[in-house]
Structures are given as C-alpha cells and as structure tokens.
Amino acid sequence: MIGIGDVKCVSVLSLFCELKYRGFAKEDIEPYYRSYEKFCHQCKQYDFKVWIEDRGWKRTSIPSSRLLDEIYNNEIEELGRGELKYIKRE
C-alpha cells in the first residue's frame, strides 16, 4: 500500500468508492475528497496508483485531480484488499 506516514492512502481512497456505492452524491463527498487531496499535496503526493490490466496486471499513476471523477464515471472500482483498479471494458 502507498502511504504518507501512518496514513494508508489506498485505504482512504477506497472509502470514496464505498461512499459512491452506498449512494452518496459526488457533490456531497467532494469537499472531503478535496480536503484529503490538499493534505496529500502538502506531503508532495500529487497522484495515486491504480491497478490496470494491460498484458498482465500493473500499477499506473493517476493524477489526484482526476480520481474522484473516474470513480463516479464508473471507471474505477475497489479491489477486495482496499486498492483500486480500472474496470476493464470489453
């Protein structure tokens, strides 16, 4: 897992997926996401790692400014272990 100090970023990010799946509107959780994003920027972290299937599984970086939009556009989902992955489109 990626982390800043004792805060596990991936676990925190998976919470935003969970809130979406529980029916929370993007507008309602966006202030919390932006606050977390600001904290990450203060720690010099500007992107997050997301799993992608491309000739095998690998991790790719995604700018923090895009992550919430991609979660709400159904492009990213939570893995069982709290990490995030791109949803493979057929």
Side-chain angles (χ1 to χ4, degrees), residues 48-79:
F48 301 115
K49 297 284 188 180
V50 177
W51 287 99
I52 188 168
E53 188 175 4
D54 180 27
R55 294 182 300 255
W57 285 97
K58 65 180 182 180
R59 291 169 51 138
T60 188
S61 293
I62 178 173
S64 62
S65 60
R66 282 188 13 215
L67 184 67
L68 190 63
D69 289 333
E70 292 193 8
I71 289 171
Y72 272 84
N73 289 335
N74 296 315
E75 298 174 36
I76 292 178
E77 67 183 1
E78 178 187 4
L79 290 171

Side-chain angles (χ1 to χ4, degrees), residues 12-49:
V12 171
L13 293 175
S14 66
L15 172 67
F16 294 103
C17 282
E18 184 66 28
L19 290 171
K20 178 206 176 262
Y21 297 134
R22 290 181 183 248
F24 284 82
K26 180 181 170 189
E27 299 79 31
D28 293 336
I29 67 168
E30 190 162 17
Y32 301 100
Y33 179 80
R34 297 299 169 210
S35 176
Y36 179 67
E37 182 182 38
K38 181 179 176 184
F39 168 76
C40 290
H41 289 181
Q42 291 170 344
C43 297
K44 308 291 189 241
Q45 182 175 352
Y46 301 97
D47 58 356
F48 301 115
K49 297 284 188 180

